């Protein structure tokens, strides 16, 4: 199976996986706790929750999905995806909030 | 000629075929959920002031489900590590836990869905709103008029917006309320049709649940009948576990975003 | 090299015949996992849909030219099959709408994409890169099955009560959701299956190109066709999922009565709709065009790939600017994701976002022009062989040019205000797809036919097919530019007759002049002519499979790319021995070589 050894050795990485697991649990508790705090504005709640979710997501992607030590080809595919994903979100939202100045809204 | 690089790595890319395939598939999944997330943002931003729900979902259950999925993720990765270390028994154990977690997740999710379907909002003819879980339903509908009565466990409010932000208002003690058909102007349960929030909630979590079920079927197959491959081609089997694992982690990753977005914010 | 050239005429027992997976009809032709069989399945199914979509159009053209008169020949059939909507053989407006929506859907999603991407891509990509098959043969089979299922659902929807979807191939909400028949639901379910099929196909093509290139087949030695398929697959992979999401949401709107795309206060037929509201109709348009603009490039890029191959082969010289072509097509693919809202200038977008999309739209024309220029330049100084495939390719170049250049006024929001939703738009994109892509696909069929069957299609009837198609295509679409600029709107079931009658008064100028309306009849007969022009093709195609002139060798066009260096037809596993690639794809007329072509797998002489 040595031919297929494209990831760091497995035996001692179990500890790494467990650390990530604990971090994810802590993150979950943290985000629930943060949601019950009334920050001065709801925007801060949103930012805090998304930052925690982003961190947890990155941990899963980086360690469980091994993206931290993946091949260049995978990175290229995923960066394209990330760019188009951002484009889809950003341009759609921009388009839907850029109205001609005299538009009557109610 | 057999198809090359099904198991061994292609020298210049350092990958085997299925690894490329699953990542391409996951890239398309990112765009799929990305489009739904942008729909969520748009509907939320576009909702009239005070009409985007907060606190409609059961946070303890959502948290439990998050922990369940995270646990299934660690067991998935450990199952793969076990195979790498040539410990088939431990692989069986870990993926048994994964499957159990999937079952628990879907179970909790169905309970939550059911809770929404028996939850009704009544617009009363006196301009007030009654809201609560149906206890007894003896209503008959004829066009826009109702006869009979219903008993709900809930409360009556003056301003509909009180029903939307459950975090801001201290919910009054819920009590059994009897509503006569004659009082009712409009009624409906909290299904997807209730408003844009329930629409996106059911769509996102429904699609996610389909992914959970699909992933569990694949992992279940590899755990059960599919594991015979371990005897003949252990390397290929290990790769299959890795690929199905990548999909499972992705499903977990989606939930990590769904949970705060739908339950907490 | 000699063992490759040992002339195998006509279908012969391939070296690997013993290897052929399973025998018998079902495994061999229906549930096959061989990329060539799947390619042919795709091709045949898609050609059938192409013809079907064309017939829908013919009937619509009759209705436009002679509104309210029974459709000749087909009228009684329509009435018998579809009933009330075609009573006395007359197309009702509802039926016209159905045919219009389904013509677009069928042509784009069930004919051209499966033909250009799935059929040609499946058959040729593994052969051209020297691979034994696609990376995931069983996924490949599943992809075809999803396509057939989606196609069947779409086709069935004609016969359900209320008929097929009526809201145009764009299916804008709230219109699509509020039409009270089930056609739209069938459309959505069909689309979800077609999208699934495309996604599986795209994953397969990309993984195949990344992983299964033969030794020595570096990225810059890939034939341009393979590059085109590679970019196309990426477009499908990343642009289709948002439409899938949108389709799911529209399905929820239709079935679970949600309001994703239904705004508050929506009135249908004068009464307030019983929906919760709060949705955004524009969201549908954004998600739809996020797919549908890249989709335009999905339609055209494989065609460009085919054209490049045939030009190189028939000019007997290397493609001019191979690297420019590759970088242009990559740029094109990338930019195609950020131009979509130029389809939506009239939705009330602000000036800043309009400017952004105008800018990207203008920028994307640069790589398109680079590609077209490279292809034109490739003709320069060649001793061109004018065979049927080459004729179609030579016509492709100016036709695509017309289609592309007429798109520029649509890319500017100011001129688009006038041209939006007129026949000008129809003429523009049909020039890209009909005399553009379809001509390239015809060229491809004539060109690769000898590899697939071991026989060539008849040259004379090929030329008849070409010249008649070229003339009638232009007679159909040129007048539409005039109609569109005169203000004739698309999607009117009477071709604008009522509209003109209503606005023309004694003191009122406007409406459509009778000369513009008479063009409808002209176009009708041109379309009939185009239909007749396809008869030689269809007969030639089927006749040549069994009785065509034997190709004489495995490489009758004396081509350099790897698909010609296999036995004919390629056996299961494609290559007798794994090929090794030594050179670029277009080494034609290299000085110092004894032949005017040097196959990619021919080693350097010591």
């Amino acid at each position: 199976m040595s031919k297929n050894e494209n990831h760091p050795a497995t035996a001692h990485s179990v500890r790494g996986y467990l650390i990530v697991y604990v971090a994810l649990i802590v993150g979950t508790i943290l985000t629930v706790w943060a949601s019950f705090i009334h920050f001065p504005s709801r925007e801060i709640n949103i930012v805090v929750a998304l930052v925690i979710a982003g961190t947890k997501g990155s941990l899963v992607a980086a360690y469980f999905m091994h993206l931290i030590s993946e091949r260049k080809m995978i990175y290229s595919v995923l960066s394209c995806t990330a760019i188009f994903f951002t484009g889809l979100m950003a341009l759609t939202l921009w388009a839907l909030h850029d109205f001609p100045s005299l538009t009557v809204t109610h | 000629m057999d198809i090359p690089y099904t198991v061994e790595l292609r020298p210049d890319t350092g990958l085997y075929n299925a690894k490329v395939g699953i990542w391409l598939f996951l890239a398309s999944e990112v765009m799929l959920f990305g489009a739904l997330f942008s729909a969520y943002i748009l509907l939320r931003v576009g909702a009239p002031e005070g009409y985007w729900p907060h606190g409609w979902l059961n946070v303890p259950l959502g948290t439990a489900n998050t922990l369940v999925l995270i646990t299934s993720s660690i067991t998935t990765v450990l199952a793969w590590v076990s195979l790498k270390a040539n410990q088939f028994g431990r692989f069986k154990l870990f993926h048994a836990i994964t499957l159990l977690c999937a079952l628990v997740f879907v179970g909790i999710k169905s309970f939550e869905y059911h809770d929404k379907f028996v939850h009704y909002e009544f617009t009363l003819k006196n301009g007030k709103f009654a809201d609560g879980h149906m206890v007894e339903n003896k209503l008959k509908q004829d066009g826009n008029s109702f006869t009979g009565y219903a008993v709900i466990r809930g409360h009556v409010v003056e301003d509909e917006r009180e029903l939307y932000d459950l975090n801001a208002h201290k919910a009054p003690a819920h009590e059994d309320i009897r509503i006569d058909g004659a009082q009712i102007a409009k009624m409906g349960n909290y299904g997807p049709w209730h408003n844009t929030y329930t629409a996106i909630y059911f769509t996102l979590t429904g699609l996610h649940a389909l992914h959970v079920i699909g992933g569990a079927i694949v992992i279940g197959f590899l755990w059960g009948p599919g594991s015979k491959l371990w005897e003949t081609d252990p390397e290929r089997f290990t790769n299959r576990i890795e690929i199905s694992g990548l999909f499972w982690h992705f499903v977990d990753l989606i939930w990590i975003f769904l949970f705060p977005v739908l339950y907490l914010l | 090299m000699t063992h490759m050239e040992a002339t195998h005429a006509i279908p012969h027992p391939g070296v690997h015949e013993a290897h052929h997976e399973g025998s018998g009809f079902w495994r061999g032709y229906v549930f096959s996992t061989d990329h060539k069989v799947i390619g042919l399945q795709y091709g045949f199914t898609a050609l059938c849909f192409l013809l079907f979509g064309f017939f829908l159009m013919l009937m619509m053209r009759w209705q436009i030219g002679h509104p309210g008169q029974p459709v000749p020949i087909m009228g009684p059939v329509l009435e018998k099959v579809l009933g009330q909507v075609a009573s006395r053989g007359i197309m009702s407006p509802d039926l016209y709408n159905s045919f219009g929506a389904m013509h677009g859907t069928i042509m784009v999603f069930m004919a051209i994409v499966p033909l250009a991407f799935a059929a040609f891509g499946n058959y040729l990509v593994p052969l051209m890169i020297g691979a034994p098959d696609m990376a995931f043969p069983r996924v490949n089979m599943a992809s075809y099955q999803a396509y057939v299922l989606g196609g069947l659902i779409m086709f069935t929807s004609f016969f359900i009560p209320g008929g097929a979807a009526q809201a145009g191939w764009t299916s804008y909400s709230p219109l699509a959701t509020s039409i009270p028949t089930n056609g739209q639901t069938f459309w959505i379910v069909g689309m979800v299956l077609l999208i699934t099929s495309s996604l599986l196909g795209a994953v397969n093509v990309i993984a195949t190109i990344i992983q299964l290139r033969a030794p020595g087949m570096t990225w810059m030695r890939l034939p341009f066709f393979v590059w085109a398929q590679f970019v196309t697959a990426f477009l499908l992979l990343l642009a289709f999922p948002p439409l899938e999401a949108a389709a799911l949401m529209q399905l929820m709107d239709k079935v679970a009565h949600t309001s994703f795309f239904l705004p508050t206060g929506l009135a249908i037929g004068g009464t307030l709709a019983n929906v919760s509201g709060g949705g955004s109709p524009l969201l549908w348009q954004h998600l739809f065009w996020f797919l549908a603009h890249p989709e335009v490039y999905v339609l055209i890029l494989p065609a460009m790939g085919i054209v490049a191959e045939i030009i190189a082969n028939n000019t007997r010289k290397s493609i001019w600017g191979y690297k420019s072509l590759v970088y242009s097509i990559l740029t094109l693919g990338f930019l195609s994701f950020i131009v979509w809202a130029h389809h939506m200038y009239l939705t009330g977008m602000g000036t800043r976002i309009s400017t952004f999309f105008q800018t990207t739209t203008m920028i994307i024309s640069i790589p398109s022009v680079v590609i077209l220029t490279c292809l034109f330049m490739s003709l320069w100084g060649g001793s061109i062989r004018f065979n049927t495939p080459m004729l179609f390719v030579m016509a492709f170049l100016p036709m695509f040019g017309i289609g592309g250049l007429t798109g520029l006024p649509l890319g500017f929001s100011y001129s688009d205000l006038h041209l939006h939703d007129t026949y000008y738009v129809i003429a523009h994109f049909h020039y890209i797809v009909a005399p553009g892509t379809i001509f390239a696909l015809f060229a491809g069929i004539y060109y690769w036919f000898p590899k697939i069957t071991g026989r060539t299609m008849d040259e004379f009837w090929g030329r008849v097919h070409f010249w008649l198609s070229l003339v009638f295509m232009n007679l159909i679409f040129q007048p539409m530019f005039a109609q569109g600029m005169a203000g004739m709107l698309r999607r009117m079931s009477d071709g604008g007759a009522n509209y003109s009658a209503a606005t023309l008064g004694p003191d009122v100028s406007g409406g459509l002049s009778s000369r513009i309306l008479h063009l409808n009849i002209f176009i009708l007969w041109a379309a009939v002519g185009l239909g007749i022009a396809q008869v030689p093709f269809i007969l030639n195609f089927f006749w040549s499979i069994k009785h065509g002139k034997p190709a004489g060798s495995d490489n009758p066009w004396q081509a350099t790319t790897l698909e010609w260096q296999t036995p004919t037809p390629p056996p299961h596993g494609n290559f007798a021995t794994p090929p090794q690639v030594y050179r670029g794809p277009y080494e034609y007329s290299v000085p110092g070589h004894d032949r005017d072509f040097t196959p990619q797998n021919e080693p350097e002489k010591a």
Side-chain angles (χ1 to χ4, degrees), chain B residues 154-168:
Chain B
H155 60 295
V156 178
V157 295
E158 306 268 335
D159 184 349
E160 197 183 12
R161 275 173 294 186
E162 285 181 49
L163 299 176
Y164 277 80
D165 197 347
L166 299 184
N167 293 342

Side-chain angles (χ1 to χ4, degrees), chain A residues 20-75:
Chain A
V20 173
Y21 178 56
V22 173
L24 290 173
I25 291 177
V26 171
T28 308
I29 295 165
L30 207 64
T31 190
V32 174
W33 173 72
S35 76
F36 287 108
I37 301 176
H38 287 283
F39 289 107
S41 78
R42 184 160 257 142
E43 278 69 34
I44 301 180
N45 274 76
I46 293 176
V47 170
V48 168
L50 288 184
V51 166
I52 298 176
T55 315
K56 287 167 69 187
S58 313
L59 283 175
V60 171
Y63 293 99
F64 287 176
M65 302 171 90
H66 309 125
L67 271 188
I68 197 126
S69 58
E70 206 31 279
R71 302 294 162 157
K72 214 174 86 200
M73 186 57 74
I74 305 286
Y75 290 144

Side-chain angles (χ1 to χ4, degrees), chain C residues 90-109:
Chain C
I90 302 169
M91 267 175 104
S92 64
D94 279 349
L95 187 62
Y96 177 89
N97 288 343
S98 275
F99 279 17
M102 295 311 283
H103 168 76
T105 308
I106 287 172
M107 286 308 205
V108 173
F109 297 108

Side-chain angles (χ1 to χ4, degrees), chain B residues 1-5 10 12-13 15-18 20-21 24 28 31-32 35 39 43 192-196 199-200 203, chain C residues 16 132 134 136-137 203 206 210-213 237-238 241-242 245 248-249 252 256-258 260 276-278 280 283 290 575:
Chain B
M1 267 168 81
D2 288 324
I3 297 167
Y5 313 120
R10 183 182 164 100
D12 59 348
T13 58
L15 298 162
Y16 56 91
N17 296 343
V20 178
L24 289 169
S28 83
M31 296 305 285
L32 177 68
L43 295 173
W193 43 82
H194 187 69
N195 62 8
T196 47
I200 194 79
T203 308
Chain C
H16 272 229
M134 297 288 258
F136 313 113
V203 168
I206 300 173
I210 291 178
Q211 288 289 101
L212 300 190
R213 281 168 291 125
L237 184 78
L238 299 179
L248 289 176
M249 288 191 271
M252 290 291 279
H257 307 290
T258 57
F260 282 112
S276 66
S280 163
L283 176 61
F290 186 83
F575 294 90

